[in-house]
Amino acid sequence: MEFAQGTIFRSKLLNNNLCLIGFGILAFITLMGVLAPVIAKNPYKTNIAERLEPPNLKHPFGTDQLGRDVYSRVVWGVRTTLLVALTISLMSMSIGCFLGAIAGYFGGIVDDIIGRVIDVFLAIPELVFNIALVGVFCLAYGESIWNVILAVVITNWVSYARIMRGIVLSLKEREFVLCEKALGAGDLYILIRHVMPNAIGPMIVLATLNMGNVIMTIASLGFLGLGIQPPTPEWGQMINAGKNYITTAPWLTFFPGLFIAVSILGFNLLGEGLQEVMDRERIVET
Amino acid sequence: MKRYIAKRLLQTIPTLFGVSLLSFSLLYLFPGDPAEFVAQIRYGIEPSPQVVEEVRRELGLNEPFLIRYVHWLSHVIRGNFGISWTEGEPVIKLIMQRFPASAELFFATFAISIAFAVFLGILSAIYKDKAIDHFCRIFSLLGISIPSFWLGLMLIWIFSVQLHLLPAFGYGGLRHLILPVLTWSFSFMAIKTRFVRSCLIEELSKEYVVVARAKGLKDRVVVLRHAFRNALIPIITYFSLSIHHLIIGSIMVEVVFSWPGLGSLLVESVFKRDFPVVQALVLISGVMFVFVNIAVDLLYAVIDPRIRYGE
């Protein structure tokens, strides 16, 4: 039975255009990142003789103000962005799910406290707080990728916690959970055996859509000069350096931005598609 | 009603308290000795220990955390956000100088986005699953996917560098407003368009719409006079929630176009390590969000009495 359901679900996924296109885009971009050493050259190698060259056969995306190959930097930038975004997402997901689950499950004063903290973090616009935090962290710990990761995780866990709390609250009163409780099951057992499987679907949708937001934040911080610092190739920071040459060398801005937009689009398409499929699933169920 | 208002206001107190504590802690995280930092700015590279002590006492940095917090809060409530470390002027003055530009950008974007979101939303609801609906969907997906700073730079490249039609950056006049508003609207209206669409589709599926159609009313009348009117409450609520952008609108758009608003003030202050300004902006944007939310809630309760009696 489970097998049949899985097959139906898979065929629904395959029939959903949004999912397919989104997945295709992401697969392509991830592949680029994985194959970076093969398909791209050294992103750090400067060559003043070839600086600010427009796109040509040798440099398909042109060269930057230090004569570095923009194509290689963009391709290596896939690694930077995806790895940092994944780290941020996994960290905020773990923190958010944990806090959300205990708030929803135990209720009472635990829920009150965590709920208030969530409210506070929701109130301050994310990017405003991120910028302030990165500013403080840079001064306190010097320039490091972890400044960005930490600052974004501090604001990002909230959405996971909020959704997780809602899921647990709605599950807590369902018969099968009450039944387990009556049979003497422990809290941890119920959370792992019953809450987790039911939370995985919405969490995957949330995480997919959230990856898009995280990539946007990383790129925005990079563009402001507060994100991942040069010479590490990162798209937002490349645009920041390229914007001064917008009149003479627009390719410095165009290509990294295109990659930011396309990868965020990939996550949004996949996320929306997954949501559609799961919503339909739920409608069929009820 | 009075009880409902009182209850909602009371609920915001812990949130406001938390927001203030969080923004205050930012300054507490400042590494090294803020007094020395300020003294360096004011009196040159190596200030004498006496001068540093004087600055410390003046800024109240010698007190413990809690006392400093209470002291700060009591000033903030009266609108005194302290003195900027680098400019030597009251923070509130710097903020008031920048606010008009932010507000101008916001209102222009808000007006244009609403007009387009309503128009496109209605179109895609009427022609659900037709070409125009797909077009609007792609349009809003791009709106949330394309980084506004990149879009802004591309528009600058097209309209300023290539066509010489519009100024690339700066503040003043209507011409300077066009590109920033265009850039911000593109993302600002994206989700709103989808929201209008789904509200209207839900309304259109109700029975009274079937009755209205059965009566032989024209489609235009059914949609605009009946369905859309009923869909207006959630739509207005949703739109009003974004008013908190009035304070710090689009940081990225302001930075790209060198727009002298509060968003670029925030970024400048972070680079200048002017933490009293950063702190004030974080606080104000948080408080604004809370107040906009509660105002919308109350408005909703006034329009729709079911809400307050449901409590």
Side-chain angles (χ1 to χ4, degrees):
Chain A
M1 191 57 206
E2 225 166 62
F3 173 73
Q5 265 183 355
T7 319
I8 293 168
F9 187 68
R10 210 169 306 141
S11 76
K12 271 184 195 154
L13 273 184
L14 289 176
N15 280 328
N16 187 296
N17 286 331
L18 292 176
C19 272
L20 279 185
I21 302 173
F23 185 77
I25 290 175
L26 293 178
F28 180 72
I29 288 192
T30 313
L31 203 66
M32 275 186 110
V34 172
L35 294 179
V38 185
I39 58 171
K41 286 173 271 180
N42 182 354
Y44 298 105
K45 193 169 164 279
T46 57
N47 184 352
I48 296 300
E50 289 185 347
R51 67 192 292 266
L52 295 176
E53 270 185 28
N56 53 41
L57 280 179
K58 196 177 164 207
H59 304 289
F61 294 177
T63 59
D64 69 3
Q65 67 283 6
L66 297 173
R68 292 175 296 196
D69 182 37
V70 174
Y71 164 74
S72 303
R73 288 184 69 71
V74 166
V75 171
W76 281 92
V78 173
R79 285 198 174 190
T80 319
T81 301
L82 286 191
L83 283 178
V84 173
L86 262 175
T87 315
I88 292 174
S89 290
L90 287 178
M91 284 170 74
S92 21
M93 197 173 180
S94 326
I95 299 173
C97 288
F98 175 72
L99 290 178
I102 59 171
Y105 190 80
F106 293 110
I109 185 127
V110 182
D111 188 24
D112 280 344
I113 294 171
I114 297 177
R116 290 290 147 255
V117 174
I118 291 177
D119 281 350
V120 170
F121 277 88
L122 280 178
I124 302 175
E126 255 181 73
L127 195 57
V128 172
F129 204 39
N130 282 332
I131 289 172
L133 283 173
V134 173
V136 174
F137 291 159
C138 274
L139 290 176
Y141 311 112
E143 278 165 2
S144 146
I145 272 187
W146 288 98
N147 293 341
V148 179
I149 296 179
L150 210 63
V152 182
V153 169
I154 289 180
T155 54
N156 201 243
W157 63 275
V158 186
S159 46
Y160 290 101
R162 202 165 56 118
I163 307 275
M164 191 67 182
R165 179 178 170 273
I167 294 172
V168 175
L169 274 180
S170 71
L171 284 174
K172 202 165 70 169
E173 303 303 324
R174 295 273 288 274
E175 284 83 1
F176 63 91
V177 173
L178 292 176
C179 182
E180 282 279 19
K181 258 194 182 163
L183 289 170
D187 294 331
L188 197 65
Y189 176 82
I190 293 178
L191 277 174
I192 292 174
R193 184 74 182 78
H194 294 292
V195 174
M196 277 235 300
N198 283 293
I200 275 179
M203 280 299 141
I204 288 177
V205 173
L206 181 64
T208 314
L209 292 171
N210 188 49
M211 271 293 277
N213 291 339
V214 172
I215 292 178
M216 184 76 91
T217 311
I218 296 172
S220 303
L221 290 173
F223 176 73
L224 295 174
L226 290 164
I228 296 153
Q229 297 295 319
T232 310
E234 193 273 324
W235 297 330
Q237 166 234 105
M238 288 171 72
I239 297 179
N240 182 34
K243 71 171 193 282
N244 303 324
Y245 301 91
I246 186 89
T247 47
T248 51
W251 55 89
L252 295 184
T253 321
F254 178 74
F255 291 106
L258 188 68
F259 271 73
I260 304 174
V262 169
S263 31
I264 297 176
L265 185 67
F267 280 109
N268 283 335
L269 283 170
L270 185 65
E272 276 208 14
L274 285 173
Q275 204 163 25
E276 255 179 24
V277 172
M278 283 179 189
D279 281 352
R280 245 172 247 156
E281 198 93 320
R282 208 162 300 141
I283 292 166
V284 173
E285 259 176 35
T286 47
Chain B
M1 190 64 199
K2 266 184 196 154
R3 270 189 62 193
Y4 180 74
I5 295 178
K7 199 180 149 208
R8 281 298 284 120
L9 282 174
L10 272 177
Q11 277 172 348
T12 60
I13 288 176
T15 315
L16 288 175
F17 177 71
V19 168
S20 70
L21 198 63
L22 218 53
S23 17
F24 181 75
S25 320
L26 273 179
L27 202 134
Y28 211 70
L29 285 169
F30 188 87
D33 187 355
E36 204 176 317
F37 174 72
V38 177
Q40 272 176 8
I41 291 173
R42 285 193 196 162
Y43 308 106
I45 309 215
E46 268 190 49
S48 65
Q50 291 98 315
V51 174
V52 174
E53 269 323 298
E54 222 167 82
V55 172
R56 194 189 313 281
R57 221 167 304 128
E58 185 199 319
L59 297 176
L61 294 171
N62 48 348
E63 309 278 357
F65 181 83
L66 217 57
I67 292 180
R68 272 170 65 188
Y69 172 67
V70 172
H71 187 75
W72 175 76
L73 200 61
S74 67
H75 280 277
V76 162
I77 287 171
R78 282 173 273 159
N80 174 11
F81 291 92
I83 305 286
S84 154
W85 285 356
T86 54
E87 309 299 307
E89 293 201 62
V91 173
I92 189 73
K93 195 177 155 201
L94 293 174
I95 290 178
M96 290 318 284
Q97 276 169 359
R98 296 293 194 100
F99 176 65
S102 272
E104 191 181 318
L105 183 60
F106 170 76
F107 282 121
T109 308
F110 193 65
I112 287 179
S113 306
I114 284 183
F116 272 93
V118 167
F119 178 69
L120 294 178
I122 292 178
L123 271 186
S124 22
I126 298 175
Y127 300 104
K128 191 177 167 233
D129 294 327
K130 301 270 167 51
I132 185 115
D133 185 25
H134 292 308
F135 168 77
C136 289
R137 178 164 209 180
I138 294 170
F139 196 66
S140 34
L141 262 169
L142 290 178
I144 53 170
S145 303
I146 292 179
S148 51
F149 59 92
W150 183 63
L151 180 67
L153 286 168
M154 290 296 111
L155 290 177
I156 288 178
W157 186 71
I158 297 172
F159 290 101
S160 310
V161 179
Q162 296 298 311
L163 302 175
H164 302 288
L165 279 177
L166 294 165
F169 50 79
Y171 176 62
L174 198 62
R175 281 161 53 82
H176 285 87
L177 199 60
I178 297 176
L179 287 184
V181 168
L182 214 62
T183 309
W184 194 9
S185 302
F186 188 62
S187 56
F188 201 84
M189 60 188 270
I191 299 176
K192 294 180 181 62
T193 308
R194 303 292 295 168
F195 191 80
V196 172
R197 175 187 179 270
S198 56
C199 283
L200 196 54
I201 286 178
E202 201 191 318
E203 242 4 93
L204 284 172
S205 69
K206 289 190 177 160
E207 277 172 0
Y208 73 89
V209 174
V210 179
V211 173
R213 286 222 165 103
K215 268 199 322 191
L217 289 182
K218 282 184 198 138
D219 253 9
R220 195 165 47 96
V221 179
V222 174
V223 171
L224 292 181
R225 198 172 296 164
H226 293 273
F228 184 64
R229 272 204 186 170
N230 281 313
L232 260 179
I233 292 182
I235 291 174
I236 290 176
T237 313
Y238 186 70
F239 284 177
S240 330
L241 282 176
S242 58
I243 289 178
H244 75 269
H245 285 294
L246 170 65
I247 292 287
I248 297 192
S250 176
I251 298 171
M252 305 314 289
V253 172
E254 285 189 7
V255 170
V256 168
F257 291 98
S258 311
W259 193 260
L262 291 172
S264 43
L265 178 66
L266 173 75
V267 177
E268 285 161 29
S269 306
V270 165
F271 276 111
K272 285 194 291 195
R273 308 181 181 186
D274 198 350
F275 274 81
V277 178
V278 175
Q279 198 178 37
L281 287 173
V282 171
L283 177 75
I284 293 175
S285 57
V287 169
M288 181 75 180
F289 183 89
V290 174
F291 281 157
V292 167
N293 264 281
I294 196 166
V296 170
D297 261 13
L298 295 181
L299 187 79
Y300 206 61
V302 172
I303 303 176
D304 191 346
R306 279 172 300 182
I307 311 243
R308 57 194 129 122
Y309 296 123
E311 285 288 323

